[in-house]
Amino acid sequence: MERKNAWKAYSDEQITELEEVNKSYREFLTVGKTERECVKEIIKQAEATGYQSLQSFMEQGRDLQKGDKVYAVCMNKSVAMFQIGEQPLEQGMNILGAHIDSPRLDVKQNPLYEDSDMAYLDTHYYGGIKKYQWVTIPLAIHGTIAKKDGTVQDIIIGEKEDDPVLVISDLLIHLSQQQIEKKAGVVVEGEGLDILVATKPLTGNDELEKEEKELVKAAVVQFLKENLDMEEEDFLSAELEIVPAGKARDCGLDRSMVIGYGQDDRVCAFTSLFAMLETENPERTSCCILVDKEEIGSVGATGMQSRFFENTVAEVLNLVGEYSELNVRRCLAASDMLSSDVSAAFDPSYASAFEKKNAAFFGRGMVFNKFTGARGKSGSNDANAEYVAHIRAIMEESGVAFQTAELGKIDVGGGGTIAYILALYGMNVIDCGVAVLSMHAPWEATSKADIYETKCGYVAFLEKACL
């Protein structure tokens, strides 16, 4: 049952293609550090290959025909893509679903303060993180500022070579005797993840200098006004995300890996997008849904639990002339889905957390998780045997390297995906994607071979008919 390392079977031509896929992926990962940035890049790439806004079809009163490619966006944070196939939509779709949010630090709405001639931004962490991993590394601000007059402005600080970066300080080892005796979860606490942004006081303002009132904070406020046309009050309606600064890069002396921020789950979002753009004239309508908020439970208007996807499917059915409430239900129930999410890669340095026979290994291809969840499969979608057999047949027929895995030992921990939410419609769903080292850390690592095989696996899935 042990799977072979995919690198051993590649031809020179496949290696070239693999490197091209991973180059595109690194570029995507570098420019897409927030959900909004991902959606912007997804739309850019989709439109370049013939996709059009679903809204434009609706406004023009145009019908959708076989071969048409459309997309819909929800609040600039989630996107759904469709390529209309030959079969009636009532007979279902082949769906790829991933999430484009990643663990990070969010700037609070009233964040700016000064202490001991140092100015800070207060943050609230988003998703599951090891808080101590976020100190003393270069950080950048990515986000959006919405003002009362209706103007919206995107900002990025910390990514250009001549940009300043930000940092969270840590206690020096010489004074850390009590700190290092704490449990890892409280060595750095959530309220301690404050971003150091400035230490130079404002000069040239005689009134403030005379009063000696928070001159470093005043200097930051002046910077915001002069460089971002932003008042301190505008923090109230801003979404500012603190993420690791720097580009995604090749990793390893052999350049066999990719290291970068946000690979959970943007590695699966990218490979899903790439597969959608590569697939032409599918027999069955192809769909790709890339959503927000998975890391905090898939909640909210842009999470998978919202009605965005269901509503968009209804609109598509209407434009192909098949709409009825019953057909919406039939379409979703008859669909097959790959819940495209990452899996934990076996790490020899922490082997005790894994059950080796059922672990995912770097370089052995895309990973299928029949179930996720925690302990007794709590919170999981558990794919049925017939569907797993169907997927196996597709992958083997297409020559895709794949492996199966569980997320670590049974009682060690666990995790979930969006799979169970789509399964509520009665469709076939299985989790699959790329194995990741250091998942949820500021910098995660993946295998180029696994990224390539996953892209190939998604293409094969979209091109095949239903079970």
Side-chain angles (χ1 to χ4, degrees):
M1 293 292 291
E2 184 173 329
R3 297 288 172 172
K4 295 180 180 178
N5 192 305
W7 287 102
K8 297 178 179 179
Y10 289 145
S11 65
D12 291 343
E13 183 179 352
Q14 286 175 306
I15 290 290
T16 299
E17 183 179 350
L18 177 151
E19 292 294 351
E20 289 174 354
V21 168
N22 279 278
K23 180 176 182 293
S24 297
Y25 170 55
R26 290 195 306 274
E27 292 169 355
F28 177 89
L29 203 58
T30 296
V31 301
K33 288 193 173 184
T34 70
E35 312 89 278
R36 291 175 183 264
E37 290 169 356
C38 284
V39 168
K40 184 177 180 180
E41 181 63 20
I42 289 163
I43 292 173
K44 176 184 174 183
Q45 293 195 29
E47 290 184 340
T49 57
Y51 279 81
Q52 301 176 62
S53 167
L54 183 63
Q55 186 66 30
S56 67
F57 273 81
M58 295 164 61
E59 292 172 353
Q60 297 169 31
R62 297 165 57 193
D63 292 333
L64 286 172
Q65 307 292 333
K66 181 183 69 175
D68 281 340
K69 303 174 182 179
V70 293
Y71 68 85
V73 175
C74 181
M75 299 183 181
N76 298 316
K77 294 182 179 180
S78 295
V79 59
M81 303 167 60
F82 300 83
Q83 184 176 173
I84 308 302
E86 296 181 10
Q87 295 181 1
L89 268 165
E90 180 187 349
Q91 297 179 18
M93 302 177 288
N94 285 349
I95 304 171
L96 299 174
H99 66 92
I100 50 178
D101 62 315
S102 293
R104 60 177 188 262
L105 307 179
D106 285 340
V107 175
K108 290 184 179 181
Q109 288 182 288
N110 186 25
L112 183 59
Y113 71 95
E114 179 178 333
D115 189 344
S116 306
D117 295 331
M118 293 181 172
Y120 293 88
L121 289 177
D122 206 356
T123 70
H124 192 136
Y125 66 90
Y126 172 96
I129 65 170
K130 291 181 177 179
K131 294 181 283 291
Y132 63 81
Q133 293 179 329
W134 286 77
V135 301
T136 73
I137 64 172
L139 299 169
I141 299 179
H142 290 235
T144 299
I145 303 162
K147 301 179 183 178
K148 289 186 294 183
D149 63 6
T151 60
V152 177
Q153 176 183 345
D154 294 330
I155 69 165
I156 299 176
I157 300 173
E159 298 294 355
K160 295 179 181 177
E161 198 165 315
D162 58 350
D163 272 358
V165 294
L166 308 175
V167 73
I168 301 169
S169 61
D170 193 13
L171 185 63
L172 66 162
I173 186 63
H174 309 74
L175 302 178
S176 297
Q177 183 174 343
Q178 291 182 343
Q179 182 196 39
I180 61 178
E181 290 177 356
K182 296 180 179 180
K183 291 185 177 181
V186 293
V187 166
V188 176
E189 298 192 15
E191 289 291 357
L193 293 172
D194 293 354
I195 312 297
L196 179 60
V197 295
T199 61
K200 185 166 64 175
L202 179 71
T203 57
N205 188 315
D206 295 338
E207 184 177 341
L208 280 175
E209 288 187 52
K210 184 178 180 180
E211 296 178 4
E212 295 185 352
K213 286 187 175 180
E214 298 189 322
L215 294 179
V216 179
K217 176 183 175 181
V220 175
V221 171
Q222 184 180 69
F223 171 87
L224 296 175
K225 179 66 175 176
E226 293 179 353
N227 293 273
L228 302 176
D229 191 26
M230 175 185 178
E231 304 291 343
E232 183 179 358
E233 192 179 66
D234 290 331
F235 279 116
L236 293 175
S237 52
E239 293 178 355
L240 301 177
E241 301 180 13
I242 305 298
V243 299
K247 298 179 179 180
R249 302 179 63 177
D250 281 350
C251 182
L253 298 178
D254 57 359
R255 295 182 177 269
S256 62
M257 297 170 284
V258 172
I259 190 168
Y261 163 70
Q263 298 202 69
D264 176 10
D265 181 37
R266 291 172 189 142
V267 65
C268 294
F270 169 80
T271 44
S272 297
L273 169 66
F274 213 77
M276 280 292 288
L277 302 185
E278 187 174 316
T279 302
E280 293 289 346
N281 303 315
E283 181 179 346
R284 205 178 195 211
T285 293
S286 297
C287 172
C288 180
I289 174 73
L290 304 173
V291 293
D292 183 23
K293 298 292 190 291
E294 190 274 347
E295 295 294 357
I296 58 170
S298 296
V299 295
T302 54
M304 194 66 245
Q305 293 194 60
S306 81
R307 294 290 184 263
F308 165 62
F309 178 60
E310 184 179 327
N311 292 345
T312 305
V313 170
E315 296 287 2
V316 171
L317 277 162
N318 186 50
L319 291 179
V320 297
E322 296 181 33
Y323 177 76
S324 71
E325 183 64 21
L326 179 59
N327 275 355
V328 173
R329 302 298 161 198
R330 285 174 173 172
C331 172
L332 292 170
S335 294
D336 291 337
M337 181 189 180
L338 297 185
S339 173
S340 309
D341 211 335
V342 296
S343 190
F346 179 79
D347 189 338
S349 298
Y350 303 96
S352 62
F354 298 87
E355 194 272 285
K356 203 168 183 180
K357 298 191 308 301
N358 289 286
F361 292 84
F362 260 23
R364 298 187 188 179
M366 70 184 299
V367 185
F368 286 93
N369 296 86
K370 187 178 185 294
F371 52 85
T372 53
R375 297 173 297 282
K377 299 187 181 181
S378 176
S380 78
N381 167 69
D382 197 342
N384 64 56
E386 293 86 348
Y387 188 51
V388 176
H390 174 60
I391 296 299
R392 281 178 59 200
I394 290 175
M395 298 304 142
E396 291 178 4
E397 179 184 343
S398 303
V400 175
F402 72 93
Q403 53 187 320
T404 60
E406 297 181 13
L407 190 63
K409 285 184 176 178
I410 294 173
D411 290 324
V412 169
T417 68
I418 64 172
Y420 75 97
I421 302 169
L422 276 300
L424 292 173
Y425 293 110
M427 68 177 70
N428 284 306
V429 185
I430 188 170
D431 284 297
C432 68
V434 178
V436 175
L437 274 179
S438 307
M439 192 189 299
H440 280 217
W443 295 95
E444 301 164 311
T446 50
S447 164
K448 287 183 177 180
D450 297 337
I451 294 168
Y452 174 67
E453 294 295 337
T454 300
K455 187 276 296 186
C456 293
Y458 291 164
V459 170
F461 170 77
L462 293 179
E463 291 178 344
K464 304 299 180 182
C466 61
L467 177 61

